[in-house]
Amino acid sequence: MNIQSSLKRILLPTTTSCAVALSVCSNAFAQDALATEKPLPIRWQIEPLTLDANEGCAIGDIDGDSKLDIVAGRNWYASPQFTPRPLRNIDDWNGYIQSNGDFLLDVNRDGRLDVIAGSFIPTEIAWYENPGAEGLRLGHTWKRNLFLDTKASENEAQLMQDIDRDGIPDWIVNSWNKNNPMSIGRLVDNGNRDGKAASYTIEHKVIGKSGNQHGMGVGDINGDGRDDILLGHGWYEQPEKPWEAEWKFRPNWDIQGSIPMVVVDLDKDGKNDVIVGAGHDYGLYWWRQTGIKEDGSIEFDKKVIDKSFSQPHAIALADLDGDGRNEIITGKRYYAHNGGDPGGQDMPEIHAYSFVDGKFYRSPIERGHVGIGLQIATGDLNGDGRTDIAVAGKSGTYAILNLPTAP
């Protein structure tokens, strides 16, 4: 199927798009929501790239031309035309593909970005070597290299974040099974500089024998200056020596959360809050932190931002309108459980939320064609100084270009 011919380029001014989106669900869902409609001064140009079951994506300069490209599963897309070019072969699986995210890192330090990826059921983490200028020109697939076999299955998704703040991102895996161990893959510089083998080794650290569940985020939730790990069933408190000491697990909540659960001091009161979506139900929430109990558990005032669509499975923060404040970007993970979730058969959609003077404003980006998958990537894809968006999901892979409104 040629998605370019079946779905033409869509150019949407946010001032006229999707005004009825809040009425998708019954008013009972939305009546207590905080967000009101207020479009951003942006025209969204929707560029369809491909249609498959891939749900991961990333943005980075793949070919070294100083332009940001898109990586999404089987292909990468060179800016500015975004023509699909082969990257890796991935098997289909039960309505999904055997990959649950794309992450970019120059693994062998040859000056080119490589791709790191895991999967839902297979236990191996692999890195795919960028073939360089000639290989990219000729459309070569990228060489697969085993990074680590974790021996752990039932993997919902991953994050790559520098948990110990040593300047090297770490591999953090979430399982949908709350009884599975919680582990971190610590990336350590192994000193190799031959430009071929990996310059990093992954050391597998189990921080909890059980205490997992769908949903994951990274951030300093208790204000001690160290990044903690949030999961669907609670959070792990990072100790002073994260690779030696025990991580204390605090089962403060029980949800099927988004990945990521975003830790941010939204109201600038000095306490970090949590922005979280119900990954397989209706609801985008602001957990406003109100304090810490004597036993170390966190207290929240949990507020509904929006309940008009289901499956806000991924979230990103980015300043879309250039006002110095980040918007919250999320949408419907289309067919997340093959249409079996509440609202799973509804149309895909994607939105941006602004938080200004204590109020949430929702600005539709697109509804009816574009949903999300497991990752939302942001960056300046066309070199105009504005932040664009890339998404990949079962509604397709898209570049969403952020254009100024007409004068």
Side-chain angles (χ1 to χ4, degrees):
M1 178 180 183
N2 187 341
I3 194 170
Q4 296 287 355
S5 61
S6 63
L7 179 57
K8 300 296 185 182
R9 176 186 295 172
I10 306 165
L11 189 61
L12 294 176
T14 60
T15 53
T16 60
S17 62
C18 310
V20 299
L22 277 174
S23 64
V24 173
C25 307
S26 72
N27 290 333
F29 280 111
Q31 64 184 2
D32 295 324
L34 298 178
T36 57
E37 200 90 349
K38 186 179 180 181
L40 293 168
I42 294 171
R43 287 184 303 142
W44 295 107
Q45 180 170 304
I46 312 297
E47 298 281 355
L49 304 183
T50 197
L51 182 60
D52 64 5
N54 171 62
E55 298 183 279
C57 63
I59 289 176
D61 181 7
I62 297 301
D63 52 4
D65 64 354
S66 300
K67 298 182 178 70
L68 294 183
D69 311 304
I70 298 172
V71 165
R74 297 175 170 114
N75 301 309
W76 72 280
Y77 304 84
S79 177
Q81 288 84 16
F82 304 112
T83 302
R85 305 181 185 201
L87 196 155
R88 57 189 175 116
N89 298 315
I90 311 173
D91 291 336
D92 288 327
W93 169 72
N94 193 31
Y96 305 81
I97 67 169
Q98 284 289 20
S99 178
N100 59 358
D102 293 305
F103 299 88
L104 299 179
L105 181 71
D106 182 3
V107 177
N108 57 359
R109 294 203 179 186
D110 65 352
R112 297 184 290 266
L113 288 175
D114 309 300
V115 173
I116 304 174
S119 191
F120 298 104
I121 300 300
T123 62
E124 293 183 348
I125 304 167
W127 69 278
Y128 297 83
E129 183 180 0
N130 187 322
E134 187 68 0
L136 294 174
R137 185 183 72 83
L138 294 174
H140 292 174
T141 53
W142 299 22
K143 179 184 175 182
R144 183 186 189 274
N145 303 272
L146 178 64
F147 219 165
L148 178 72
D149 188 346
T150 66
K151 309 297 183 184
S153 188
E154 301 178 311
N155 306 307
E156 179 64 27
Q158 297 81 219
L159 296 174
M160 278 200 78
Q161 290 191 232
D162 185 3
I163 192 71
D164 57 0
R165 303 186 184 183
D166 66 350
I168 303 173
D170 303 296
W171 182 264
I172 309 167
V173 182
N174 176 228
S175 174
W176 61 73
N177 186 338
K178 69 179 180 181
N179 296 316
N180 279 356
M182 177 60 204
S183 64
I184 303 174
R186 182 191 184 189
L187 268 70
V188 178
D189 188 339
N190 61 23
N192 180 67
R193 296 295 185 271
D194 66 5
K196 298 178 181 179
S199 298
Y200 304 95
T201 302
I202 299 185
E203 297 179 353
H204 195 224
K205 164 73 173 179
V206 175
I207 66 170
K209 294 182 179 180
S210 65
N212 215 308
Q213 193 161 300
H214 191 300
M216 182 168 62
V218 175
D220 181 11
I221 195 64
N222 61 350
D224 64 358
R226 298 185 291 271
D227 284 337
D228 310 300
I229 297 178
L230 288 67
L231 299 166
H233 195 51
W235 61 285
Y236 283 92
E237 182 178 353
Q238 182 176 161
E240 289 187 18
K241 297 181 178 180
W243 309 116
E244 301 172 22
E246 176 187 0
W247 291 58
K248 183 175 180 59
F249 181 64
R250 301 184 184 276
N252 284 175
W253 53 75
D254 189 356
I255 61 169
Q256 276 202 323
S258 55
I259 302 153
M261 304 166 66
V262 177
V263 179
V264 59
D265 182 7
L266 194 65
D267 56 359
K268 308 300 182 185
D269 67 350
K271 298 185 290 292
N272 272 337
D273 311 310
V274 180
I275 305 296
V276 58
H280 294 282
D281 208 332
Y282 289 91
L284 175 66
Y285 299 91
W286 173 28
W287 292 1
R288 180 180 175 272
Q289 185 178 158
T290 58
I292 303 176
K293 296 181 180 179
E294 289 186 5
D295 65 1
S297 59
I298 309 293
E299 295 182 302
F300 296 100
D301 178 14
K302 298 180 180 179
K303 301 176 181 292
V304 180
I305 300 172
D306 195 353
K307 269 196 172 183
S308 68
F309 62 93
S310 68
Q311 304 160 304
H313 200 284
I315 300 173
L317 297 183
D319 181 7
L320 298 175
D321 59 356
D323 68 351
R325 294 185 291 253
N326 282 335
E327 274 71 45
I328 301 164
I329 307 164
T330 190
K332 179 185 185 63
R333 183 188 171 196
Y334 187 59
Y335 256 57
H337 280 160
N338 293 327
D341 288 336
Q345 300 288 340
D346 294 342
M347 290 188 296
E349 53 192 277
I350 182 170
H351 304 277
Y353 298 81
S354 302
F355 184 72
V356 182
D357 298 329
K359 296 181 180 180
F360 286 95
Y361 299 99
R362 190 180 77 166
S363 178
I365 295 173
E366 205 281 334
R367 181 169 180 267
H369 303 95
V370 182
I372 67 169
L374 296 170
Q375 294 174 297
I376 301 170
T378 61
D380 183 4
L381 291 170
N382 58 358
D384 66 353
R386 301 168 68 91
T387 300
D388 307 304
I389 302 169
V391 293
K394 295 177 186 179
S395 59
T397 298
Y398 296 88
I400 305 174
L401 301 182
N402 175 349
L403 305 178
T405 56

